Amino acid sequence: MTMHEITVLGRGGQGAVTSAYVLAKAAFHDGKESQAFPFFGVERRGAPVFSFCRISDEQIKLRQQVYHADYLLVLDAALLDNVDVISRVKEGGTVIVNSTHAPDKLKSAKGINIHHVDATNIALKIIGKPFVNVIMLGAFASISGLVSLNGLKKAIDEMFASKPEVAKLNKKATETIYKSMKN
Amino acid sequence: MAREVMEGSQAVARIVANCDVKVIAAYPITPQTHIVQELAKMHADGLIDCEFVNVEAEFSAISAILGATAAGARSFTATSSQGLALMHEVVFAAAGMRLPLVMVIANRALSAPINIWNDHQDSIAERDSGWIQIYCESVQEVVDSVVQAYKIAENKNVLLPVMVCMDGFYLTHVYEPVEIPPKSKVHKFLGKFNYPYKLDPKKPLTMGPLGFPADYARLRKQLAEAVWNSKKVIKEVHDIYAKQFGRVYGDGLLEVYGDGSIALVAMGSVCGTIKDMIDKDELKDVCLVRIRTFRPFPKDEIVEVLKDRDAVVVLDRNISLGNAGAVYLEVRDALYDEKDKPKVVDFVVGLGGVDVNKATLNYVVEKARTVKSGHVEIVDGSEVSSSY
């Protein structure tokens, strides 16, 4: 049985929890089992926030928090100053950072792969606002191959059913990131 | 029927909407809030045809649904922690009056200090009230248990209120695939609520009057017998539901998973993590005995599955201060008359939201091998490293 664990790190108000929820929906649309939950804390705007997602071929029974993720998404590179990201990733795992440049403060260890993508810039261009939580999943899908772009689009439609314009722009930006990482 | 990924709290709201509920009264409190929020939204959107009573506190919420049930309306409320504590007086009254209320508890620790996270202290503190208590492992089980709860509560041989207990955050805030049984099928399963002693101006009756000693004792005896006898109905309802909806939770009272000689006895969402470890052979020689109904306590059934084990390790997400965990005390009592009884030990875990992870479960099982019967230990998390 293969199960993958994903951690999303963001700031309170940035939508890290929504990000994990959209990912769980997307994986389920692709025919996989999934589970997403927030770190059980009290959310404060600006403070570091974790959320988690599990994706598996079989029913997920495990309900402990994710301690060492296969993939860790960082929505704000400035968080790397305060959070020991590497300690939260498995050996040989992957970190994807929203950043304009390779995050030099993040030293790889344990064979961890580090990627970066300028999601804020793409969000500003396409959505008009720096909303990166959902579109970072485009980078995740591209690098991991664990969810499809179609699955993500369906999940975005579902999550923003009452805001079709928001859904449309998020889908477009997600696809842009997905394709840019493929190249 | 199709499954869909949704939040545990939303799933509760969706199934309540399919249960032909006529009155909802609830007051928001973390981690139950999303249930009330979703129900209020569905009501505002015209998706539930019922009275939604906005109340100023939990005491009024349960009082309102007590009154509504007495008038013959199927009703619903949900709460957590301090909210349930505030309801305490009416919780006992509802059972004594034999009113079949259904309430979802998003399990959370009790103050002080103030803590919004999960343990079972809130509902365990109501164990003597005469309510049936069902503890759930997954969101799907919560959904199925809400439907079963109405069917059990309204059975004429039961007529008791039911609490459906779901771990705060672990189940209220998780998104996972769940199937919401459709309205038509649920209506058919439940039938119309026909409370035999409802308030009716044409047939006046008195409810909740003064009970002089002899009457009081007789009625309490009847209540006690009703709670004991509800076991049979809980099992029957579980079996009929399993046939119609295809999901089985042990025998409705108790579930055994694996066949190791060391039995881990637990309730709630942590049972999922234990099952995962048993599947992967990460807990040597361990089986899980999951208590689904803490009230009525499945005493005979639990003796049957525990008496021949080498050791019984109880996980309590609560503590009866001055003694030990509530589940442990009852499991140990149940085994008293057995000749070659196994060692029984207690680990109080996960208080106030401490994650009961694989490291904790490993610690508990390894420690249990070395200690004597009667060992009671409060695991606050410092015993195990979080680097699992």
Side-chain angles (χ1 to χ4, degrees):
Chain A
M1 177 174 114
T2 44
M3 180 166 75
H4 291 93
E5 296 182 315
I6 299 100
T7 296
V8 183
L9 167 64
R11 291 189 184 276
Q14 222 181 351
V17 180
T18 304
S19 180
Y21 288 169
V22 169
L23 184 55
K25 280 174 177 283
F28 186 70
H29 284 308
D30 286 343
K32 290 181 178 163
E33 291 292 314
S34 60
Q35 176 198 63
F37 53 100
F39 174 77
F40 308 142
V42 182
E43 271 200 48
R44 290 148 299 157
R45 189 161 286 270
V49 170
F50 291 94
S51 65
F52 310 108
C53 183
R54 292 193 169 99
I55 299 174
S56 175
D57 298 327
E58 289 173 31
Q59 189 200 349
I60 300 166
K61 295 171 188 161
L62 186 62
R63 292 196 184 275
Q64 69 172 9
Q65 291 186 22
V66 171
Y67 293 94
H68 297 113
D70 296 282
Y71 293 87
L72 194 147
L73 276 59
V74 183
L75 303 186
D76 177 353
L79 284 166
L80 297 173
D81 294 339
N82 329 337
V83 181
D84 181 4
V85 163
I86 294 294
S87 72
R88 293 171 178 271
V89 181
K90 269 179 202 147
E91 223 174 285
T94 301
V95 179
I96 309 170
V97 186
N98 168 27
S99 173
T100 50
H101 54 279
D104 42 21
K105 276 180 190 139
L106 195 59
K107 294 275 176 287
S108 181
K110 305 187 287 185
I112 291 169
N113 304 299
I114 298 167
H115 298 264
H116 73 277
V117 54
D118 191 2
T120 303
N121 202 20
I122 293 169
L124 286 171
K125 268 188 194 148
I126 296 174
I127 305 174
K129 287 179 179 140
F131 296 159
V132 299
N133 59 330
V134 172
I135 69 174
M136 278 289 283
L137 298 174
F140 169 77
S142 190
I143 290 166
S144 71
L146 287 174
V147 285
S148 69
L149 184 60
N150 265 341
L152 277 178
K153 284 181 175 175
K154 270 192 191 171
I156 292 168
D157 279 334
E158 217 179 290
M159 205 70 190
F160 301 102
S162 59
K163 299 169 188 167
E165 191 56 27
V166 174
K168 194 180 137 200
L169 296 174
N170 268 287
K171 281 191 290 184
K172 197 176 164 198
T174 301
E175 184 161 2
T176 304
I177 288 193
Y178 180 87
K179 286 184 174 157
S180 77
M181 301 296 279
K182 278 282 183 222
N183 294 333
Chain B
M1 277 173 281
R3 293 192 303 156
E4 194 185 324
V5 173
M6 67 179 88
E7 194 192 36
S9 296
Q10 193 192 359
V12 171
R14 293 263 303 267
I15 194 61
V16 168
N18 285 358
C19 285
D20 198 22
V21 165
K22 301 295 186 211
V23 178
I24 298 169
Y27 189 81
I29 177 169
T30 302
Q32 156 266 36
T33 310
H34 293 182
I35 299 174
V36 184
Q37 186 181 317
E38 191 66 26
L39 281 169
K41 187 172 177 295
M42 289 173 85
H43 181 257
D45 290 345
L47 298 170
I48 315 176
D49 182 20
C50 72
E51 293 291 326
F52 194 100
V53 188
N54 283 306
V55 287
E56 85 291 356
E58 289 84 356
F59 188 89
S60 301
I62 191 160
S63 298
I65 76 154
L66 182 144
T69 308
R74 190 177 283 154
S75 309
F76 179 78
T77 191
T79 193
S80 282
S81 181
Q82 305 307 117
L84 181 56
L86 189 56
M87 289 179 174
H88 180 72
E89 184 181 332
V90 188
V91 166
F92 273 65
M97 292 171 76
R98 305 293 297 275
L99 290 168
L101 317 187
V102 171
M103 166 156 68
V104 165
I105 306 297
N107 282 116
R108 164 183 153 181
L110 282 171
S111 295
I114 292 177
N115 178 293
I116 60 165
W117 295 276
N118 169 246
D119 68 32
H120 293 161
Q121 199 69 56
D122 51 358
S123 53
I124 290 292
E126 304 298 333
R127 69 171 181 191
D128 301 337
S129 61
W131 286 57
I132 290 168
Q133 293 190 337
I134 301 173
Y135 288 82
C136 300
E137 182 194 319
S138 65
V139 173
Q140 187 66 64
E141 186 179 6
V142 176
V143 166
D144 295 333
S145 298
V146 167
V147 180
Q148 291 176 19
Y150 283 109
K151 190 77 176 169
I152 295 162
E154 293 167 7
N155 183 297
K156 287 188 178 54
N157 297 318
V158 177
L159 293 180
L160 289 169
V162 181
M163 284 180 201
V164 177
C165 302
M166 65 192 298
D167 284 328
F169 293 107
Y170 284 96
L171 296 184
T172 55
H173 286 57
V174 72
Y175 269 60
E176 63 186 19
V178 57
E179 180 194 310
I180 306 295
K183 200 177 266 186
S184 56
K185 219 174 153 187
V186 174
H187 283 199
K188 207 176 157 204
F189 178 78
L190 291 179
K192 281 246 174 293
F193 177 38
N194 195 9
Y195 188 57
Y197 312 109
K198 69 180 169 199
L199 290 171
D200 181 354
K202 287 177 200 142
K203 282 192 278 175
L205 52 84
T206 304
M207 284 188 178
L210 176 69
F212 285 96
D215 292 329
Y216 182 87
R218 187 171 51 84
L219 288 168
R220 293 304 278 186
K221 186 177 173 184
Q222 282 181 10
L223 176 60
E225 283 164 358
V227 182
W228 282 327
N229 294 338
S230 67
K231 281 207 303 195
K232 188 170 165 273
V233 175
I234 295 167
K235 281 198 214 177
E236 282 168 8
V237 167
H238 168 268
D239 292 350
I240 302 167
Y241 188 92
K243 270 197 194 117
Q244 293 188 20
F245 297 87
R247 283 180 293 273
V248 176
Y249 302 102
D251 68 352
L253 305 170
L254 206 64
E255 181 190 358
V256 181
Y257 194 83
D259 54 9
S261 62
I262 298 172
L264 260 184
V265 180
M267 307 198 294
S269 63
V270 73
C271 295
T273 302
I274 297 170
K275 285 179 179 176
D276 182 85
M277 292 181 82
I278 291 174
D279 288 346
K280 292 174 182 149
D281 209 18
E282 290 172 344
L283 288 173
K284 269 214 168 71
D285 207 20
V286 166
C287 72
L288 166 69
V289 175
R290 179 167 81 90
I291 297 176
R292 183 165 183 257
T293 57
F294 185 62
R295 282 291 177 275
F297 190 71
K299 198 168 176 172
D300 299 335
E301 294 79 359
I302 210 159
V303 168
E304 204 47 49
V305 300
L306 292 182
K307 63 181 167 58
D308 296 324
R309 311 272 169 190
D310 293 341
V312 175
V313 184
V314 181
L315 293 179
D316 267 296
R317 234 169 176 152
N318 73 87
I319 181 161
S320 179
L321 297 168
N323 202 342
V327 181
Y328 163 77
L329 293 171
E330 307 215 358
V331 168
R332 204 167 154 85
D333 162 64
L335 289 165
Y336 182 80
D337 289 323
E338 293 308 303
K339 265 190 194 136
D340 297 312
K341 41 184 165 282
K343 145 163 117 177
V344 190
V345 295
D346 188 26
F347 290 88
V348 174
V349 296
L351 295 184
V354 169
D355 197 21
V356 186
N357 51 28
K358 290 186 171 188
T360 311
L361 294 165
N362 260 324
Y363 168 81
V364 162
V365 169
E366 288 313 310
K367 186 79 182 272
R369 294 183 208 271
T370 64
V371 295
K372 281 188 185 150
S373 189
H375 176 84
V376 176
E377 179 175 337
I378 302 170
V379 180
D380 65 14
S382 60
E383 300 83 350
V384 290
S385 98
S386 63
S387 61
Y388 196 86

